[in-house]
Amino acid sequence: MSQGACVTRITKLLNIRAPIILPGMSWISTPPLVAAVSNAGGLGILATGPLSAQQTKQSIAEIRRLTDKPFGIGATLLMPGAEENVEVALREKVPVINFSLGKGDSIVERAHAYGGKVIATVVNEKHGRSAVSSGADALMVTGHEAAAHGGDVTSLCLVPALASRLPDTPIIAAGGFANGRGLLAALALGADGVAMGTRMACTVESPLAEATKRAIVAGSETDTIYSKNFDGLYARVLRTENALKVTKKPTNPIVAAYLSFGAAKLVGLPLWKVVPGLLTQWEKMYQLALFGGATKRIMAATVDGDLDYGVQFVGQSQGQIEGIMPVASVVDRTLEEAAASHSRNAAILNGATV
């Protein structure tokens, strides 16, 4: 097995061998997969969205039993319970905190106090500049091709734009990356590493339901749907007959509120944290209700492999996934392929015919 390395600002910042990141994906980026990616030389990020504070603490302890390598936790600050999960991570001195959809000033200050690093997930320059001004160490720049909530602009345009305008900040390119050619392309665009969520979801160590893994591997880059009608934000999901029906029209507000109660129960969130918001902060809580209403369908696809009812977040990079293999093989093959592609391109630029 290759022990090669690719040295970038991200590998130096995070103290990892390969500039390959597992982003936090609910019910997928669990301790075994997080540890597998970190052990393989990348950085695994735990998804805390479905977890209580106690479960987050237990998951951090489990990751530390499985690896002595750097790892991170991810938190979507808009979501209920996110602040509590971040608090646990900070107290446990988790090496890397990845936040999105919120302000991370206090997170940065407290993480830096113990030597931790902070990555902000952004989809545009405005949010990128805000994160940098708050002290974020790196940006995960998420393009239109990404699973779930990518931005309006493709990675091909967004990554070099932010790399040029924020040159002192390391960038992790997310959206459309699944192999060595993608890694090399991201580096050429000005990024310092890549997030490979969909690729890592389809590995041996991933807890994603086998039926859903097979459906993703069988799909092409055209087999996704990008719609606002699933969870209230524009999101990319696997194209199925059921997903086409679900994304045809927005969820009724009353239905969304009702579904949010069921979702809160599924993830162990007390209803007292949901009801006041529905009554006093309707616009914000309507969005959260839509998130909650989508939870049951996401779990059905992700955990149970039921694509007749469930809906699976997936990126357009699914068209590049040729099979289900161990995480270590994905990381090593990515590095080897990037090196081979670099050599080929260097020869072309030097006038050789290949």
Side-chain angles (χ1 to χ4, degrees), residues 48-339:
T48 64
L51 306 180
S52 66
Q54 182 60 31
Q55 289 171 326
T56 295
K57 184 175 182 178
Q58 292 169 348
S59 294
I60 291 169
E62 183 178 352
I63 293 169
R64 284 180 163 148
R65 286 194 296 269
L66 296 172
T67 185
D68 60 357
K69 301 294 192 296
F71 69 95
I73 71 102
T76 302
L77 301 182
L78 173 68
M79 300 300 290
E83 291 185 6
E84 291 87 343
N85 287 332
V86 170
E87 179 64 29
V88 168
L90 291 168
R91 288 182 180 178
E92 294 294 318
K93 298 183 178 180
V94 170
V96 180
I97 310 292
N98 174 211
F99 74 88
S100 62
L101 295 181
K103 294 184 177 181
D105 304 61
S106 62
I107 296 173
V108 170
E109 182 179 357
R110 293 181 62 189
H112 285 176
Y114 64 78
K117 307 302 180 184
V118 178
I119 301 170
T121 296
V122 302
V123 297
N124 56 46
E125 180 185 355
K126 177 182 177 182
H127 294 162
R129 288 191 181 279
S130 176
V132 170
S133 68
S134 74
D137 299 288
L139 301 178
M140 188 178 296
V141 177
T142 307
H144 186 64
E145 303 93 331
H149 309 105
D152 296 329
V153 184
T154 64
S155 296
L156 183 64
C157 295
L158 185 63
V159 170
L162 267 63
S164 295
R165 296 165 191 164
L166 300 169
D168 297 327
T169 303
I171 285 176
I172 301 162
F177 304 100
N179 54 33
R181 286 175 294 177
L183 171 58
L184 184 63
L187 296 177
L189 293 173
D192 303 273
V194 293
M196 292 172 46
T198 299
R199 170 65 270 194
M200 291 301 181
C202 294
T203 55
V204 172
E205 295 90 339
S206 167
L208 180 64
E210 290 300 316
T212 304
K213 288 182 188 178
R214 292 194 297 271
I216 292 173
V217 172
S220 76
E221 61 278 0
T222 62
D223 292 323
T224 70
I225 302 168
Y226 187 69
S227 172
K228 191 178 182 180
N229 292 339
F230 177 50
D231 67 0
L233 295 177
Y234 279 102
R236 190 174 302 283
V237 302
L238 181 65
R239 178 183 291 270
T240 64
E241 289 186 11
N242 175 59
L244 287 168
K245 294 176 183 177
V246 171
T247 58
K248 190 173 182 179
K249 58 182 180 180
T251 302
N252 180 284
I254 296 176
V255 173
Y258 172 77
L259 291 173
S260 71
F261 296 144
K265 184 177 180 180
L266 277 174
V267 300
L269 181 68
L271 291 183
W272 64 263
K273 288 191 175 184
V274 178
V275 174
L278 287 173
L279 297 176
T280 62
Q281 303 178 57
W282 171 245
E283 184 174 349
K284 178 179 179 180
M285 290 307 295
Y286 173 53
Q287 178 61 66
L288 293 177
L290 291 174
F291 277 157
T295 297
K296 190 174 181 180
R297 289 189 184 273
I298 297 170
M299 290 184 69
T302 303
V303 179
D304 303 325
D306 179 3
L307 294 175
D308 291 328
Y309 173 78
V311 175
Q312 180 63 46
F313 289 134
V314 73
Q316 290 179 316
S317 63
Q318 72 172 357
Q320 303 169 44
I321 300 173
E322 299 175 349
I324 300 168
M325 61 181 67
V327 165
S329 297
V330 171
V331 171
D332 287 338
R333 180 177 293 190
T334 298
L335 293 178
E336 292 164 2
E337 187 176 89

